[in-house]
């Protein structure tokens, strides 16, 4: 049994595009069923919904499976002009062509009509790739594979260049390093690591033309590095921090302004003053001059004081941090705010003067820098002191300025770097307060003024759009103005952009229709409604008496019958309401000839229905009085008839007396006189 199982467990996978599976299956599965029976194999096709799987699996004896595959391929060859071709593609590009999770090769298959592309096993290192499918699709797939392989080969071109390890630092430094610009061309430049045996070889990878150009540029830069000049300058260690602080902001600016130069400061804390510079002679001299000027400025720095009330310090440092940083960098000054004093229990005076009229030390801000820049920085700092502006804004606009959950007012504050205070709603005050710098106050005021102007314009527009026009229209015409399912009145509303309000039935002003909108729009809508009414009034109207009993038959289920009549004769038929004085009165409106024709039709229908009722009354047997009474009671016509009465029910029986020997005689003793009309458990019923 084991041997037989092993012999019948051979599995063969045959990838065939799904569009050809139907030819292999045949009508009602006849072809594949025949193959299964003849070869004794199990043939499984992938599910229809699985678009990513087109492999047919054959299971059975090896020779039987091969025979089944041969028959399947023969069918495929008959249906399609199948072609097979081998393509030599270096095996090192196979993984690239297959792509992540086979996405690239699947896209090639889909683009080429679902051809079958088979790569050799990875460990075989074979270059042969087999493509099978329709001849045109195979040719297209071959072209794409070779194209992608060629692009990969071109982008993998490699070149090497050797240089001293000491040059690597200059190549990668911000001053001399042009490696970043070379990499932007698409070339990949790899420097050796400390663990590499060969630390002098730099590798360049990319497209051939890009790599060759990058190699030439690197060789030129290395040649320039060999010709670089090295010099030094002595700078007092106390000034070193100024150059390297804030991630070397000052030093990077010097390198950017002066050109290709490398500047190396000694280690912090070494107390050495020698700073080494290396680069082209002109750039090196310019950098030295710039550094000497910077040191001289540091030596010539002065300290000045500016009085800013202490209660504004926090807002200047926190709310206007960007402005404060700009002042420090633009004027090259140092701004120091005093420490915050401890809050006194009884509060403190933050006006800027103490009790003797002098200046409080908590209000003194120190500015340090060159003499010409310090004064400008002081003026800029004073401009940062927040001011307050009271602006008139109507109370009804406050909610709009605030926005949903304060969203709009936060945007205003962030955009203009201010603080906006809106009075409490219950105060109903017509102003708002703006706090911030003077320049920001003006810009905020302009922004809010634009919002208020827009709101005023909208308010005026709403008032114009609230114009009301009342018109008297006979209620009998209201349904026609409304139209079926409101179609007519909705068209009027949409066309003229107005509201059309109809009164409720039974209101004292039932005849008045109100139009709301722009005056010219309401007048145009009024004219259109009057035109409809005029047409209605010009129509011929006729009243006809039709027995109310046949009204439901004429109207039909959900009004279908009467609508059919109205459409046929192009008239309007109105039946009486429940509370109308004459329940038989039917009104027909339309052109005179159409009304008369419709009237004849209704009268004929009435005659037919009445005859039908009379015929039914003759055929049906007369009802008994009892049936009539019961029917009357069911329909709510209560009279003196007793109706249906149940007699002799259990609830009317008298309960037996348990103390009575007659109802409950003793068993086995006592009187034996039992009448024929009585039983031990009570009288017969």
């Amino acid at each position: 049994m084991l041997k037989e199982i092993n012999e019948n467990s051979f599995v063969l996978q045959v990838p065939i595009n799904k569009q050809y599976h139907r030819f292999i299956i045949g009508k009602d599965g006849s072809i594949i069923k025949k193959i299964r029976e003849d070869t004794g194999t199990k043939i499984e096709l992938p599910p229809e919904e699985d678009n990513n799987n087109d492999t047919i699996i054959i299971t059975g004896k090896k020779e039987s499976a091969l025979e089944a595959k041969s028959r399947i391929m023969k069918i495929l060859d008959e249906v399609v002009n199948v072609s097979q071709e081998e393509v030599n593609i270096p095996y090192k590009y196979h993984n690239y062509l297959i792509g992540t999770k086979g996405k690239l090769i699947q896209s090639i298959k889909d683009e080429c009509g679902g051809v079958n592309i088979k790569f050799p096993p990875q460990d075989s290192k074979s270059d042969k790739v087999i493509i099978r499918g329709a001849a045109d699709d195979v040719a297209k797939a071959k072209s794409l594979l070779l194209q992608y392989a060629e692009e990969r080969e071109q982008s993998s071109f490699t070149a090497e260049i050797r240089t001293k390890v000491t040059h690597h630092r200059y190549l990668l430094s911000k001053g001399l390093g042009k490696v970043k610009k070379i990499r932007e061309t698409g070339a990949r430049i790899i420097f050796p690591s400390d663990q590499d045996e060969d630390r002098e070889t730099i590798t360049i990878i990319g497209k051939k033309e890009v790599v060759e150009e990058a190699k030439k540029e690197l060789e030129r830069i290395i040649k320039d590095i060999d010709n670089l000049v090295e010099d030094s300058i002595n700078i007092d260690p106390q000034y070193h921090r100024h150059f390297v602080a804030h991630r070397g902001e000052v030093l990077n600016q010097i390198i950017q302004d002066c050109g290709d130069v490398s500047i190396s400061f000694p280690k912090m804390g070494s107390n050495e003053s020698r700073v080494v510079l290396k680069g082209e002679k002109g750039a090196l001299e310019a950098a030295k001059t710039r550094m000497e000027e910077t040191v001289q400025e540091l030596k010539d720095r002065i300290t000045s004081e500016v009085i800013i009330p202490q209660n504004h310090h926090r807002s200047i440092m926190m709310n206007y941090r960007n402005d404060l940083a700009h002042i420090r960098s633009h004027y090259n000054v140092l701004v120091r705010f005093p420490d915050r004093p401890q809050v006194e229990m009884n509060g403190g005076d933050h006006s800027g003067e103490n009790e003797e009229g002098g200046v409080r030390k908590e209000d003194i801000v120190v500015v340090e820098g060159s003499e010409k820049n310090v004064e400008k920085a002081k003026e800029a700092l004073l401009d940062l002191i927040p001011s307050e502006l009271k602006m008139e804004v109507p109370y009804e606009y406050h909610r709009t300025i605030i926005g949903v959950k304060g969203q709009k007012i936060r945007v205003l504050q962030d955009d203009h770097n201010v603080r906006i205070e809106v009075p409490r709603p219950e105060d109903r005050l017509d102003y708002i307060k703006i706090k911030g710098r003077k320049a920001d106050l003006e810009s905020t005021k302009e922004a809010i003024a634009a919002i208020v102007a827009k709101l005023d314009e909208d308010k005026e527009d709403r008032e114009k759009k609230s114009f009301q026009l009342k018109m008297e229209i006979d209620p009998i015409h209201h349904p026609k103005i409304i139209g079926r399912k409101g179609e007519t009145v909705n068209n009027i509303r949409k066309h003229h952009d107005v509201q059309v309000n109809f009164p409720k039935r039974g209101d004292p002003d039932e005849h008045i229709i109100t139009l709301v909108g722009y005056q010219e729009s309401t007048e145009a809508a009024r004219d259109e409604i009057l035109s409809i009414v005029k047409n209605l009034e010009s129509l011929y109207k006729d009243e006809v008496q039709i027995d109310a009993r046949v009204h439901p038959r004429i109207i039909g289920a959900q009004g279908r019958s009467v609508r059919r009549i109205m459409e046929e004769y192009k008239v309007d038929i109105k039946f009486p309401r429940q509370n109308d004085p004459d329940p038989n009165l039917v009104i027909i409106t339309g052109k005179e000839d159409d009304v008369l024709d419709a009237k004849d039709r209704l009268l004929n229908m009435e005659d037919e229905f009445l005859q039908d009722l009379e015929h039914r009354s003759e055929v049906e047997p007369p009802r008994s009085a009892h049936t009539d009474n019961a029917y009357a009671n069911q329909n709510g016509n209560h009279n003196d008839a007793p109706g249906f009465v149940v007699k002799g029910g259990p609830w009317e029986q008298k309960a037996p007396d348990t103390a009575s020997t007659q109802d409950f005689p003793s068993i086995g003793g006592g009187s034996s006189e039992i009448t024929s009309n009585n039983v031990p458990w009570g009288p017969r019923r």
Side-chain angles (χ1 to χ4, degrees):
M1 287 177 65
L2 182 61
K3 182 180 179 181
E4 186 178 350
I5 291 171
N6 288 333
E7 288 178 354
N8 287 280
S9 299
F10 180 77
V11 178
L12 194 61
Q13 294 186 355
V14 185
I16 295 176
N17 193 297
K18 231 170 198 180
Q19 62 180 322
Y20 304 129
H21 285 191
R22 58 191 179 92
F23 299 109
I24 298 167
I25 296 170
K27 187 176 181 181
D28 298 329
S30 59
I31 296 177
I32 196 168
K33 184 178 179 182
K34 177 69 173 172
I35 297 173
R36 285 170 178 161
E37 291 175 353
D38 293 348
T39 60
T41 56
K42 181 182 178 182
I43 304 175
E44 298 178 14
L45 283 83
E48 286 292 334
E49 59 273 8
D50 189 357
N51 296 323
N52 297 323
N53 184 11
D54 57 4
T55 302
I56 298 175
I57 300 174
I58 307 172
T59 308
K61 292 182 180 180
K62 185 175 181 180
E63 55 274 11
S64 300
L66 292 172
E67 173 64 20
K69 177 184 176 182
S70 175
R71 291 181 63 171
I72 289 173
M73 300 309 294
K74 185 178 179 181
I75 294 170
L76 191 63
D77 291 342
E78 293 174 356
V79 176
V80 186
N81 183 17
V82 176
S83 173
Q84 180 172 312
E85 192 166 347
E86 290 185 358
V87 186
N88 287 324
I89 298 175
Y91 74 90
K92 60 182 178 180
Y93 302 139
H94 289 184
N95 286 337
Y96 166 74
L97 292 174
I98 294 170
T100 306
K101 296 182 179 180
K103 290 182 179 179
L104 179 57
I105 197 66
Q106 186 61 43
S107 68
I108 295 173
K109 289 180 180 180
D110 295 341
E111 187 176 348
C112 299
V115 296
N116 178 32
I117 302 175
K118 185 177 180 181
F119 287 88
Q122 190 70 27
D123 52 0
S124 68
K125 296 186 178 180
S126 173
D127 297 338
K128 291 184 178 181
V129 179
I130 300 173
I131 309 172
R132 182 179 174 84
D136 294 340
D137 295 336
V138 169
K140 186 177 180 181
K142 178 182 177 181
S143 174
L144 282 175
L145 286 173
L146 292 175
Q147 178 185 340
Y148 288 147
E150 184 180 357
E151 290 176 359
R152 182 65 175 177
E153 184 178 4
Q154 289 179 355
S155 62
S156 301
F157 185 80
T158 303
E160 294 180 349
I161 184 170
R162 296 180 64 83
T163 181
K164 296 177 183 179
V165 178
T166 54
H167 291 354
H168 293 185
R169 180 168 60 90
Y170 294 104
L171 287 170
L172 294 170
S173 65
K174 292 182 179 179
L176 292 173
K178 295 184 178 179
V179 173
K180 184 177 179 181
K181 293 182 179 179
I182 297 174
R183 283 173 172 162
E184 288 175 357
T185 63
R188 184 181 176 192
I189 302 174
I190 303 172
F191 285 84
S193 63
D194 295 337
Q195 290 77 25
D196 292 336
E197 294 180 3
D198 184 1
R199 298 186 58 197
E200 293 186 351
T201 301
I202 300 172
T203 306
I204 311 169
I205 302 174
K207 292 184 178 181
K208 185 176 180 180
E209 58 273 14
V210 175
V211 170
E212 291 175 348
E213 189 65 30
K215 183 178 179 181
K216 290 179 183 178
E217 183 66 16
L218 276 176
E219 288 174 345
R220 186 190 66 77
I221 295 172
I222 291 168
K223 186 177 180 180
D224 291 341
I225 291 174
D226 291 333
N227 299 326
L228 291 179
V229 178
E230 185 173 312
D231 199 354
S232 63
I233 181 175
N234 291 319
I235 297 177
D236 195 316
Q238 65 175 322
Y239 302 126
H240 289 189
R241 185 173 182 82
H242 175 76
F243 288 94
V244 299
H246 303 294
R247 297 184 180 181
E249 182 180 352
V250 176
L251 191 61
N252 291 334
Q253 189 63 43
I254 292 173
I255 293 172
Q256 184 178 347
D257 295 342
C258 298
D260 294 339
V261 62
S262 173
I263 304 173
S264 301
F265 279 82
K267 291 183 179 180
M268 296 295 291
S270 63
N271 207 28
E272 294 183 9
S273 59
R274 185 171 178 268
V275 179
V276 179
L277 296 87
K278 188 172 183 178
E280 297 177 358
K281 188 173 182 181
L284 189 144
E285 293 298 328
K288 280 180 64 176
T289 304
R290 180 76 172 270
M291 293 177 74
E292 288 171 351
E293 291 175 353
T294 303
V295 171
Q296 188 61 42
E297 288 180 2
L298 293 173
K299 290 179 180 179
D300 296 341
R301 289 172 80 91
I302 64 169
T303 301
S304 182
E305 297 177 350
V306 57
I307 307 302
I308 299 177
Q310 191 271 334
N311 60 317
H312 297 315
H313 291 186
R314 182 178 178 83
S315 62
I316 293 174
M317 289 187 290
M318 300 299 293
N319 297 340
Y320 311 116
R321 185 175 297 173
N322 294 334
D323 296 320
L324 185 59
H326 175 73
I327 291 172
R328 285 171 170 161
S329 61
H330 183 69
Y331 297 108
N332 192 20
V333 295
L334 179 66
V335 181
R336 291 197 297 269
F337 287 85
D339 295 333
R340 293 186 64 186
Q342 294 190 3
V343 181
E344 300 178 6
M345 295 299 294
N346 59 351
D349 181 15
H350 301 289
S351 62
E353 297 183 356
N354 57 17
E355 294 179 357
E356 288 77 18
V359 177
R360 301 185 314 136
K361 63 178 182 179
E362 292 86 357
D363 300 332
I364 299 175
V365 178
V366 177
V367 183
E368 182 181 340
S370 62
E371 185 175 0
K372 61 178 181 179
N373 289 339
V374 164
E375 294 302 320
K376 295 179 180 178
K378 286 168 66 176
E379 293 177 5
L381 283 171
L382 291 174
D383 289 339
L384 294 181
I385 297 176
S387 303
E388 183 175 295
L389 174 66
K390 194 173 182 179
M391 181 178 179
E392 290 187 7
V393 176
Y395 161 76
E396 59 185 305
Y397 297 160
H398 288 186
R399 290 179 62 84
T400 306
I401 292 173
I402 294 171
V404 180
K405 296 182 180 180
Q407 183 179 4
K408 291 185 178 179
I409 198 170
R410 281 197 298 271
V411 172
L412 279 172
Q413 292 179 146
D414 294 341
D415 290 348
H416 299 278
N417 204 14
V418 296
R419 178 182 175 84
I420 302 174
E421 295 181 358
V422 181
R424 297 178 304 175
E426 55 267 23
D427 294 340
R428 303 182 71 85
L429 299 174
D430 294 329
Y431 67 84
I432 60 173
K433 292 181 179 179
I434 311 171
K435 295 182 179 180
R437 296 183 309 172
K438 291 181 180 178
D440 294 333
L441 292 181
E442 291 301 320
S443 64
T444 310
K445 183 179 179 181
E446 292 176 1
I448 294 176
I451 295 172
V452 171
K454 181 68 169 59
L455 292 172
D456 286 338
E457 184 180 343
D458 293 344
K459 181 181 178 182
E460 184 180 353
D461 184 69
R462 284 196 303 272
E463 290 175 354
K464 289 181 179 179
K465 202 172 182 178
S466 300
F467 178 80
Q468 290 189 0
L469 188 150
K470 297 182 181 294
M471 55 189 305
E472 293 187 10
I473 302 293
D474 192 332
I476 196 172
H477 299 315
H478 289 188
K480 280 297 180 182
I481 297 172
I482 295 172
R484 186 180 178 188
K485 296 183 179 180
E487 183 179 359
T488 305
V489 73
N490 286 337
N491 288 335
I492 295 172
R493 287 168 176 157
K494 185 177 180 180
H495 181 67
H496 298 285
D497 190 22
V498 296
Q499 297 179 27
V500 183
N501 300 325
F502 289 87
K504 290 183 180 180
R505 192 176 297 168
D507 281 356
D509 296 333
E510 188 179 8
H511 59 290
I512 294 178
I513 297 176
T514 305
L515 307 178
V516 182
Y518 294 112
Q519 184 174 355
E520 57 274 15
S521 300
T522 56
E523 291 173 352
R526 176 199 61 191
D527 295 341
E528 185 173 346
I529 292 173
L530 290 175
S531 175
I532 295 172
V533 173
K534 184 178 180 181
N535 291 334
L536 292 173
E537 290 177 345
S538 65
L539 295 175
Y540 179 76
K541 185 190 296 183
D542 196 357
E543 297 179 351
V544 57
Q545 290 287 330
I546 296 177
D547 196 320
R549 292 177 297 171
V550 300
H551 287 187
R553 297 285 297 272
I554 296 174
I555 294 172
Q558 298 181 352
R560 292 193 187 97
S561 179
V562 73
R563 276 202 303 273
R564 197 179 304 115
I565 296 171
M566 289 192 289
E567 291 172 0
E568 181 180 351
Y569 294 98
K570 297 181 177 56
V571 295
D572 180 59
I573 301 173
K574 185 176 180 183
F575 287 86
R577 297 174 184 169
Q578 188 175 2
N579 298 326
D580 285 355
D582 188 352
N584 300 324
L585 182 63
V586 177
I587 301 173
I588 310 171
T589 307
K591 292 183 179 180
E592 184 174 358
D593 292 341
D594 296 335
V595 169
L596 295 176
D597 292 341
K599 178 180 177 181
D600 292 340
R601 173 72 177 275
L602 294 180
L603 291 174
N604 291 334
M605 293 176 70
E606 179 190 23
D607 291 340
E608 292 176 4
F609 293 149
L610 289 176
Q611 289 176 9
D612 188 27
L613 289 175
E614 291 176 1
H615 177 68
R616 288 185 182 181
S617 62
E618 292 174 358
V619 173
E620 292 179 359
R623 298 178 181 178
S624 63
H626 175 74
T627 305
D628 291 341
N629 290 336
Y631 179 80
N633 289 335
Q634 289 177 359
N635 288 276
N637 186 13
H638 300 286
N639 50 28
D640 297 335
F644 181 74
V645 180
V646 178
K647 295 184 178 180
W651 53 87
E652 293 184 353
Q653 296 293 326
K654 182 180 179 183
D657 185 4
T658 56
S660 171
T661 57
Q662 185 177 358
D663 291 344
F664 291 91
S666 60
I667 299 174
S671 174
S672 59
E673 298 178 358
I674 301 176
T675 63
S676 60
N677 294 329
N678 292 323
V679 294
W681 302 112
R684 292 185 182 274
R685 297 178 183 175

